Amino acid sequence: MTNDNSSNEDVNGAAASSGDAGDNLRVRTRRRRPRWRRVITTVCSVIAVLIIVPLVAFFAAYAVTKVPQPEELQNNQISNIYAADGSSELARIVPPEGNRENIDINEVPEHVRNAVLSAEDRDFYSNSGFSVTGFGRAAIGQLTGNDSAGGGSTITQQYVKNAVVGDERSLVRKGKELVVSAKMTREWSKDEILEAYLNTIYFGRNAYGISAAAKAYFNKPVQELTVEEGAVLAASIQRPSQLDPWTNRPEAEDRWNYVMDGLVGLDSIDRNQRSAAVYPETIDPATVDQGSIAEGTNGLIKSQVLAELAANGISEEAVNTGGLKITTTIDSAKQQSMVDAVHSRLDSYGDDVRAAGVSVNPKTGGVEAYYGGDDPNGFDWVNAGLQTGSTFKIVTLAAAVEQGIPTSAMYDSSPVTSGDNTVTNDSGETCGTCSLAQALKMSLNTSFIRLTQSLDNGAQDVADMAHKLGAAESIPGIDQTLTENGETPYEGITLGQYQSRPLDMASILATLS
């Protein structure tokens, strides 16, 4: 059977027929676009998303963004440290950034300016104020969760980030940074931007601005900095706290070499001058005026507070610029009593005697009173590693009690051999054979050497008990405490042979309490 129409085409002109030899059926089909047209369409869409949309957003933001004036960007923040009552001030931290002396760019030697350019932005005077590649890396970092992917910011961007938009890790913040940087480049001269940057950037050592940095590292005005000294300051900008030559000389010098090599590329110095350059010595950061207001031992309390904040992830820069209110565990009344007690005792000794005092709350572990010396910037005797003497016998007794040896146990107090030495008691004192309680009261060396020898693991048990009670595993200058060069301590540990701090002993006694 055959239809009246021998063939039919759909609206697109495609012929249709059934697979049956005798029947032709009307079938509707759609002609597919060529593959190359689909590829072009996709590419155009991607281009629109990646280029056109960001450009539209950029210029829209550019049109409405106002670039602040320099006087609007001052950051004068002071952090306060208080006693436990939250109102008794112990110290104030006044960053140089808060009371710094702004200097004209012409006061900064050209070789110092060039060192900063070598370190941070070698095409500063020719670029548009922002780095597209740096923004791209930041975008990739946001998408991949890789915080280290960012970088490559220009000097203008760094200034804008620090003074205008903040350092939040987000594409919105980065986009705003690019807009303000581009607009600032059009509205400010390059010298104005560089001057503002040099007066605000953080160099470490609590120094904001090139003038403060020159004094913090070399104790001289910026006008007197040499090429090599300028390169040290410029090298520190990348990671101020980590690139201080006093704490990390190898990395600081590596970065310095990068800056000095860049100065050759900028034609600021010649190769002969570069070859003759020697890394300059900086002053001890401990001698630098940190801008802190603290009297007497409160200055040492301030140092301990800053160290504890750093250990808990609150950076030096956050303290210097954040306007923080820091409340400590110090009890004002107990603190004054501690200071008075130490002074009273010291009055009966000569000027060459030093003392420390620290009070730890047995319930909380909080330090309630602290005296490490009267010089707010001096040596802190609370944290000094010293031989503790017979006070350490308390720890030995605690180790014995833990092993089931009671304080009523009887021990001989006659001379005893320990290693190659014969141990006796002070002034030949003896109790014959008496209880540990009596031996402790009389502070008999011989009884406690014998007690140490009778412990399951000897002197090691004394060291382990001290650490369990709160003695630090390491202290300034000693990587491993209460050991003999990393090995088992001598039995003299019970007589306070090894160094511990007054703070450790206070913690030990608070734990026992």
Side-chain angles (χ1 to χ4, degrees):
M1 179 184 294
T2 303
N3 286 338
D4 293 336
N5 297 322
S6 60
S7 67
N8 292 288
E9 292 184 352
D10 66 11
V11 293
N12 292 315
S17 65
S18 71
D20 214 310
D23 294 324
N24 287 324
L25 302 178
R26 186 184 298 272
V27 179
R28 186 176 295 275
T29 63
R30 182 179 298 277
R31 180 188 299 167
R32 301 190 59 169
R33 288 179 295 173
R35 187 177 187 86
W36 63 270
R37 290 180 61 188
R38 297 201 307 275
V39 171
I40 291 176
T41 300
T42 302
V43 170
C44 290
S45 299
V46 171
I47 291 174
V49 171
L50 295 182
I51 298 179
I52 298 176
V53 172
L55 281 176
V56 171
F58 177 87
F59 285 112
Y62 188 94
V64 300
T65 296
K66 177 184 179 294
V67 176
Q69 295 303 305
E71 60 270 16
E72 299 177 294
L73 302 177
Q74 301 300 321
N75 185 16
N76 188 4
Q77 301 270 4
I78 298 173
S79 292
N80 301 84
I81 300 176
Y82 295 98
D85 59 13
S87 60
S88 301
E89 185 181 78
L90 300 174
R92 262 177 286 162
I93 304 169
V94 183
E97 192 269 347
N99 55 9
R100 69 183 182 275
E101 177 188 358
N102 282 342
I103 60 174
D104 188 274
I105 192 170
N106 294 322
E107 298 180 62
V108 183
E110 186 176 2
H111 57 260
V112 176
R113 284 181 263 159
N114 286 336
V116 173
L117 299 183
S118 174
E120 298 298 316
D121 190 356
R122 294 182 181 180
D123 63 348
F124 169 74
Y125 278 98
S126 61
N127 65 40
S128 57
F130 62 87
S131 168
V132 175
T133 56
F135 179 78
R137 285 193 293 272
I140 292 172
Q142 286 291 312
L143 294 174
T144 62
N146 178 15
D147 287 342
S148 64
S153 294
T154 65
I155 277 178
T156 309
Q157 284 177 259
Q158 291 183 48
Y159 175 66
V160 168
K161 180 180 73 171
N162 291 328
V164 183
V165 301
D167 59 0
E168 176 191 358
R169 289 187 177 274
S170 72
L171 292 181
V172 172
R173 194 278 301 165
K174 192 71 175 177
K176 186 176 180 181
E177 176 188 305
L178 295 185
V179 171
V180 176
S181 298
K183 199 162 188 177
M184 182 177 287
T185 301
R186 291 181 62 87
E187 296 182 6
W188 293 19
S189 71
K190 286 289 189 176
D191 280 354
E192 286 175 328
I193 295 172
L194 184 58
E195 179 181 298
Y197 177 82
L198 291 174
N199 279 321
T200 56
I201 198 67
Y202 184 55
F203 288 87
R205 297 196 178 191
N206 216 18
Y208 285 81
I210 192 75
S211 180
K215 295 175 183 176
Y217 282 84
F218 300 104
N219 196 29
K220 61 170 61 173
V222 66
Q223 294 88 345
E224 298 178 9
L225 291 175
T226 66
V227 172
E228 293 82 359
E229 290 168 344
V232 169
L233 299 185
S236 72
I237 294 173
Q238 185 185 60
R239 289 180 293 139
S241 296
Q242 290 79 23
L243 290 177
D244 190 313
W246 270 75
T247 56
N248 190 1
R249 178 66 176 259
E251 285 194 53
E253 195 160 346
D254 284 346
R255 183 67 178 170
W256 178 82
N257 283 319
Y258 169 81
V259 174
M260 291 295 292
D261 291 341
L263 286 172
V264 176
L266 292 173
D267 294 326
S268 181
I269 61 175
D270 58 36
R271 294 192 178 279
N272 290 334
Q273 189 176 358
R274 170 67 184 97
S275 298
V278 177
Y279 193 89
E281 294 300 321
T282 61
I283 64 175
D284 184 346
T287 65
V288 177
D289 180 7
Q290 298 294 312
S292 299
I293 300 174
E295 296 181 354
T297 199
N298 286 354
L300 304 179
I301 293 175
K302 178 213 68 177
S303 297
Q304 290 303 308
V305 168
L306 293 178
E308 189 167 329
L309 290 173
N312 285 276
I314 301 175
S315 70
E316 178 184 6
E317 186 167 4
V319 173
N320 291 335
T321 61
L324 305 181
K325 178 181 178 181
I326 305 159
T327 304
T328 69
T329 54
I330 296 293
D331 182 296
S332 296
K334 293 177 182 177
Q335 175 66 17
Q336 189 59 54
S337 295
M338 174 70 76
V339 174
D340 292 343
V342 174
H343 284 168
S344 176
R345 294 296 300 275
L346 282 175
D347 285 345
S348 61
Y349 294 98
D351 292 338
D352 59 340
V353 175
R354 299 292 178 267
V358 59
S359 176
V360 176
N361 186 315
K363 294 182 179 180
T364 66
V367 175
E368 296 190 335
Y370 191 102
Y371 177 91
D374 286 321
D375 184 349
N377 299 307
F379 190 78
D380 185 352
W381 291 95
V382 169
N383 270 285
L386 301 166
Q387 290 184 329
T388 52
S390 289
T391 310
F392 221 76
K393 290 170 181 170
I394 298 169
V395 178
T396 306
L397 188 57
V401 170
E402 185 183 52
Q403 294 183 16
I405 302 173
T407 58
S408 60
M410 306 296 286
Y411 277 79
D412 182 5
S413 66
S414 64
V416 61
T417 299
S418 178
D420 297 329
N421 301 309
T422 298
V423 179
T424 59
N425 297 314
D426 185 39
S427 302
E429 194 165 11
T430 181
C431 70
T433 297
C434 61
S435 69
L436 288 175
Q438 181 64 25
L440 181 65
K441 180 179 179 180
M442 297 176 67
S443 190
L444 298 175
N445 299 336
T446 53
S447 299
F448 275 84
I449 288 291
R450 287 188 170 92
L451 175 59
T452 301
Q453 293 171 344
S454 69
L455 297 176
D456 293 343
N457 300 292
Q460 187 61 52
D461 286 338
V462 179
D464 292 345
M465 175 55 69
H467 287 143
K468 286 193 289 184
L469 291 174
E473 299 279 350
S474 65
I475 61 176
I478 301 177
D479 291 335
Q480 289 181 280
T481 60
L482 307 178
T483 71
E484 186 60 36
N485 297 321
E487 302 297 330
T488 301
Y490 292 142
E491 291 166 356
I493 188 174
T494 191
L495 309 180
Q497 173 182 350
Y498 296 99
Q499 293 186 32
S500 294
R501 304 169 299 173
L503 181 60
D504 294 319
M505 298 308 297
S507 181
I508 286 171
L509 293 172
T511 304
L512 288 173
S513 297

